[in-house]
Amino acid sequence: YFSAVNKLKINQNEIEILLGIFNLQNYMNKKFSNLSLGQMQLVSVIRGLIEKPDILLLDEVFSNLDENNTLSLCYYLEEFCMKDENMIIIASHGKEIPLGFKEKINLDKLCSG
């Protein structure tokens, strides 16, 4: 739906692969509003990833995700960055985010007087 609205030509196989990575293939024909909060979060991230942006800004991307989906998303985002040298900026209140990116900036340390 989102690719049609934005007039993007998206490879259906690529969508199915991403849905499979996050165990969402059984929800492909469901309405967005009928998904859980975690599923909605993942679909929103997939929408952003499918367009292959040079820079992807993700705000609280791990909220509402269980541990398995958090790890799956982390691994996928790391690969996404390394494969095409894309930049991902993640804003999060989470203290421990299991990411292996080259650069991390902890604003807590910068803002704590």
Side-chain angles (χ1 to χ4, degrees):
Y1 169 77
F2 297 106
S3 61
V5 168
N6 294 320
K7 297 180 183 173
L8 298 173
K9 290 189 177 193
I10 304 296
N11 181 337
Q12 187 65 29
N13 188 42
E14 191 173 347
I15 292 171
E16 290 173 11
I17 289 170
L18 282 169
L19 292 174
I21 289 170
F22 301 110
N23 297 314
L24 293 172
Q25 59 272 39
N26 293 334
Y27 303 96
M28 191 166 173
N29 296 315
K30 299 236 180 201
K31 287 185 175 183
F32 185 77
S33 60
N34 292 337
L35 300 175
S36 71
L37 292 175
Q39 292 164 338
M40 287 180 179
Q41 183 77 351
L42 288 171
V43 169
S44 296
V45 172
I46 290 170
R47 281 179 26 210
L49 290 169
I50 206 76
E51 294 182 28
K52 297 184 174 119
D54 293 331
I55 300 173
L56 185 64
L57 176 61
L58 301 171
D59 183 29
E60 295 298 337
V61 69
F62 303 109
S63 64
N64 300 310
L65 298 184
D66 62 18
E67 186 176 344
N68 287 338
N69 279 323
T70 297
L71 290 173
S72 294
L73 183 56
C74 285
Y75 294 135
Y76 188 83
L77 291 175
E78 288 175 35
E79 286 180 24
F80 180 79
C81 279
M82 287 187 240
K83 186 169 64 173
D84 295 322
E85 296 186 12
N86 298 317
M87 179 186 294
I88 297 177
I89 300 170
I90 299 173
S92 177
H93 289 98
K95 297 293 182 193
E96 297 296 323
I97 299 173
L99 295 174
F101 294 125
K102 289 191 288 185
E103 297 180 36
K104 295 179 193 175
I105 301 171
N106 185 346
L107 295 180
D108 285 343
K109 292 180 182 175
L110 295 175
C111 297
S112 61

